[in-house]
């Protein structure tokens, strides 16, 4: 019985950690999406592409949550501890990969926006320098 309790506590902690990471992922998505969709450095086509990438990441997030729900419900049904642990670990790895992908995508877009801003300012400076309006 003590082993079962220990196992349940371990599962609970892992599921809690995964859930917290999912919350971070959603918060990061919301923060950056609100900035990017209104950024004048991106064309409507680029914003649409970004939306599709975000949608793919969010779809994976929903799948991960569904997997966790299955694990939680499986405590009431038959599933071996090994299988349960295998699914929890796989979901954890997926969540970490999704979070890393999201962060990378956000940084790439932010850098692109910064570079475009700098390029626009440089063009304005050169035009002023040469008296071109």
């Amino acid at each position: 019985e003590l082993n079962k309790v220990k196992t349940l506590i371990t599962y609970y902690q892992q599921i809690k950690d995964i859930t917290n990471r999912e919350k971070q992922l959603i918060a990061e998505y919301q923060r950056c999406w609100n900035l990017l969709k209104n950024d004048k450095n991106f064309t409507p086509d680029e914003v649409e592409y970004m939306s599709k990438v975000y949608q793919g990441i969010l779809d994976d997030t929903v799948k991960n949550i569904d997997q966790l729900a299955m694990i939680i419900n499986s405590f009431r049904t038959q599933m071996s501890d090994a299988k349960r642990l295998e699914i929890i670990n796989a979901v954890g790895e997926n969540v970490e990969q999704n979070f890393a992908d999201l962060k990378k995508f956000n940084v790439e877009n932010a850098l692109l926006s910064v570079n475009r801003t700098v390029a626009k300012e440089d063009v304005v400076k050169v035009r002023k320098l040469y008296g071109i309006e």
Side-chain angles (χ1 to χ4, degrees):
E1 286 297 311
L2 189 57
N3 241 359
K4 274 189 168 182
V5 170
K6 182 182 174 196
T7 302
L8 284 174
I9 291 170
T10 301
Y11 292 154
Y12 172 77
Q13 185 59 48
Q14 287 177 297
I15 290 171
K16 182 180 171 191
D17 292 344
I18 291 168
T19 303
N20 285 335
R21 180 58 92 186
E22 290 282 19
K23 288 179 188 176
Q24 291 173 336
L25 185 146
I26 297 298
E28 179 71 10
Y29 152 74
Q30 289 173 330
R31 183 185 70 79
C32 285
W33 177 238
N34 287 330
L35 294 171
L36 292 173
K37 69 181 177 183
N38 297 313
D39 191 325
K40 300 299 180 206
N41 289 314
F42 298 113
T43 67
D45 287 343
E46 289 171 325
V47 172
E48 184 179 334
Y49 167 77
M50 290 175 198
S51 173
K52 288 177 182 176
V53 171
Y54 283 128
Q55 190 59 52
I57 293 171
L58 292 175
D59 287 347
D60 281 349
T61 297
V62 170
K63 289 176 189 172
N64 292 329
I65 291 169
D66 288 345
Q67 289 286 322
L68 288 180
M70 181 187 73
I71 291 298
I72 291 167
N73 289 332
S74 76
F75 285 119
R76 290 184 239 138
T77 62
Q78 203 63 23
M79 182 183 280
S80 72
D81 285 343
K83 183 65 175 171
R84 193 174 284 121
L85 187 58
E86 178 185 322
I87 293 171
I88 291 172
N89 288 336
V91 169
E93 289 172 13
N94 290 341
V95 169
E96 289 302 321
Q97 187 61 54
N98 286 348
F99 190 71
D101 291 344
L102 178 80
K103 296 280 282 184
K104 181 180 177 192
F105 189 66
N106 289 345
V107 167
E108 289 171 353
N109 289 327
L111 290 174
L112 181 57
S113 181
V114 167
N115 287 337
R116 286 180 178 176
T117 299
V118 169
K120 286 177 186 176
E121 290 174 1
D122 288 345
V123 167
V124 169
K125 287 178 187 176
V126 170
R127 284 185 171 178
K128 283 184 181 179
L129 180 67
Y130 286 96
I132 303 169
E133 294 299 322

